[in-house]
């Protein structure tokens, strides 16, 4: 086979352990999954009601234009329908962008550690990858700007960043946007946008009016609680979307996914409740970490990265035996940390009690 040389050593994505796998391995009846930044409160009741009444034929292809969802989302964001691009999760949006712009001889700039699919797709396309280490968990925008040259095609920004949870504030972001050449695409990944409560967080809808080379990604997988339906989207200038749209696969967003996303948008009270509960949950973790002198990054996402000053895999394995699935930082670029999704109040109390037992045994 005449494989691309760059994929020969590329590893497939390794998903976290499933609830069923952990139950079977450790003979546990109750498992709490806090590994994949899913919404512990599920989705809006309106979604469940819509699903119970769904009776369309499964033999019919999805609406390739996502007409109803496009209209609802454009109204919600106060954008034009032509400014939207839909994907099978944000992962496909990243793939579309990379396929459109990256090739051998071009380079792309990103932070590290950050969401790994930026790097993965750049590797597949044979582009040079320029990774700039985080500074105290945040993007080093100065160094990222210095890494840009005439062959740079894409700069990736993740705000809040996964896995550190640190966001880019408005002053920092606009300063960076002003410094980037206009022929370089800046992709702003806002997967956790709806969880942010920081007062100096920007409004990306305003920024795309001023910066035609800015594309913003968001998703229904996080606070909307629709991860299994795989609905991601991006918005930017008409011209950006016009170039990216032909690279999108036809019928890429499934019929049921389009329907539940459109319905979920109508229940913003559910989103507000989840945001408030998440903030309370983060404070539970902050208080615990400060009491036990554990380093953590203040997070604007629905997760927290905690440094245990020991092998993150050991913490991961210990908590899994206790019935809590978290994510070892070893696979995320923080080898002595674990990333924990913020759960419900009782779920947070449970995992913190298990962590307390780990700390006691470690002494």
């Amino acid at each position: 086979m005449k494989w691309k040389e760059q994929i020969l050593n590329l590893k497939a994505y390794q998903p976290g352990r499933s609830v069923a796998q952990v139950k079977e391995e450790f003979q546990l009846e109750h498992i709490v999954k806090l590994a994949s930044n899913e919404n512990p409160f599920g989705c809006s009741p309106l979604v469940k009601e819509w699903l119970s009444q769904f009776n369309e034929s499964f033999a019919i292809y999805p609406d390739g234009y996502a007409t109803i969802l496009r209209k609802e989302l454009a109204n919600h964001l106060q954008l034009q329908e032509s400014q939207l691009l839909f994907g099978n999760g944000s992962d496909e949006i990243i793939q579309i962008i990379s396929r459109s712009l990256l090739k051998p001889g071009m380079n792309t700039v990103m932070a590290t550690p950050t969401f790994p699919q930026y790097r993965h797709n750049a590797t597949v396309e044979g582009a040079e990858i320029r990774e700039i280490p985080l500074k105290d968990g945040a993007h080093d925008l100065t160094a990222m700007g210095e890494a840009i040259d005439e062959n740079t095609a894409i700069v990736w920004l993740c705000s809040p960043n996964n896995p550190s949870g640190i966001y880019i504030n408005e002053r920092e972001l606009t300063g960076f946007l002003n410094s980037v050449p206009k022929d370089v695409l800046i992709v702003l990944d806002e997967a956790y946008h709806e969880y942010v409560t920081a007062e100096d967080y920007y409004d990306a809808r305003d920024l795309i009016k001023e910066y035609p080379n800015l594309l913003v990604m968001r998703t229904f997988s996080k606070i909307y609680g629709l991860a299994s339906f795989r609905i991601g989207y991006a918005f930017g200038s008409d011209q950006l979307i016009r170039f990216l749209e032909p690279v999108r696969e036809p019928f890429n967003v499934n019929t049921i996914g389009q329907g539940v996303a459109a319905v979920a948008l109508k229940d913003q009270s559910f989103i507000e409740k989840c945001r408030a509960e998440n903030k309370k949950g983060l404070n539970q973790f902050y208080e615990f970490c400060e009491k036990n002198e554990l380093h953590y990054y203040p997070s604007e996402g629905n997760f927290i990265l905690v440094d245990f000053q020991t092998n993150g895999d050991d913490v991961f394995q210990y908590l899994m035996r206790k019935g809590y699935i978290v994510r070892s930082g070893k696979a995320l670029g923080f080898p002595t940390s674990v990333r924990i999704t913020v759960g419900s109040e009782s779920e947070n109390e449970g995992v913190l009690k298990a962590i307390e037992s780990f700390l006691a045994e470690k002494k």
Side-chain angles (χ1 to χ4, degrees), residues 92-111:
E92 191 193 17
I93 301 287
I94 295 168
Q95 186 180 62
I96 291 169
I97 296 166
S98 301
R99 190 177 181 187
S100 301
L101 288 161
L102 297 179
K103 60 184 179 181
M106 305 302 292
N107 69 70
T108 179
V109 177
M110 64 194 72

Side-chain angles (χ1 to χ4, degrees), residues 20 84 94 98 176 205 210 226 238 244 250 260 267 288 307 310:
L84 296 171
I94 295 168
S98 301
F176 181 75
R205 296 173 301 173
E210 188 174 349
L226 302 176
D238 288 1
L244 293 169
V260 295
D267 192 357
F288 179 87
D307 190 352
T310 191

Side-chain angles (χ1 to χ4, degrees), residues 18-131:
S18 71
V19 169
Q21 288 172 326
V22 175
K23 275 187 176 181
E24 182 178 359
E25 181 176 350
F26 296 102
Q27 297 298 299
L28 296 169
E29 292 186 5
H30 181 65
I31 301 293
V32 176
K33 188 185 177 196
L34 300 172
S36 301
N37 303 340
E38 296 145 333
N39 188 340
F41 305 106
C43 61
S44 164
L46 296 182
V47 169
K48 297 178 181 178
E49 181 182 349
W50 184 90
L51 285 169
S52 70
Q53 299 173 4
F54 181 83
N55 63 357
E56 295 181 31
S57 172
F58 296 138
I60 305 300
Y61 282 107
D63 174 3
Y65 187 68
T67 305
I68 295 174
L69 175 57
R70 185 179 295 272
K71 181 178 180 179
E72 292 288 344
L73 186 57
N75 287 337
H76 174 70
L77 296 174
Q78 297 182 314
L79 297 173
Q80 298 299 312
E81 293 181 16
S82 58
Q83 293 181 270
L84 296 171
L85 175 72
F86 291 98
N88 184 28
S90 293
D91 292 326
E92 191 193 17
I93 301 287
I94 295 168
Q95 186 180 62
I96 291 169
I97 296 166
S98 301
R99 190 177 181 187
S100 301
L101 288 161
L102 297 179
K103 60 184 179 181
M106 305 302 292
N107 69 70
T108 179
V109 177
M110 64 194 72
T112 186
T114 192
F115 189 54
Q117 289 303 302
Y118 314 146
R119 184 182 217 286
H120 180 90
N121 281 278
T123 301
V124 171
E125 301 303 332
E128 178 193 351
I129 300 164
R130 297 183 176 180
E131 295 180 297

Side-chain angles (χ1 to χ4, degrees), residues 278-308:
N278 184 71
K279 191 66 176 178
K280 283 196 267 183
L282 282 170
N283 286 330
Q284 283 181 271
F285 283 96
Y286 295 163
E287 291 172 11
F288 179 87
C289 289
E290 288 162 11
K291 175 185 174 183
N292 290 279
E293 299 182 341
L294 295 171
H295 179 269
Y296 66 93
Y297 291 115
S299 176
E300 288 292 334
N302 68 333
F303 56 90
I304 184 169
L305 189 70
V306 182
D307 190 352
F308 288 85

Side-chain angles (χ1 to χ4, degrees), residues 87 95 113-114 134 143 146 149 167 171 173 189 197 221-222 237 239 261 264 267 342 346 351:
Q95 186 180 62
T114 192
L134 296 175
E146 291 170 351
D149 63 17
Y167 72 105
R171 178 186 57 79
L173 181 57
D189 187 345
T197 60
S221 294
K222 301 305 178 185
S237 69
Q239 185 180 36
D267 192 357
V342 177
S346 61
V351 74

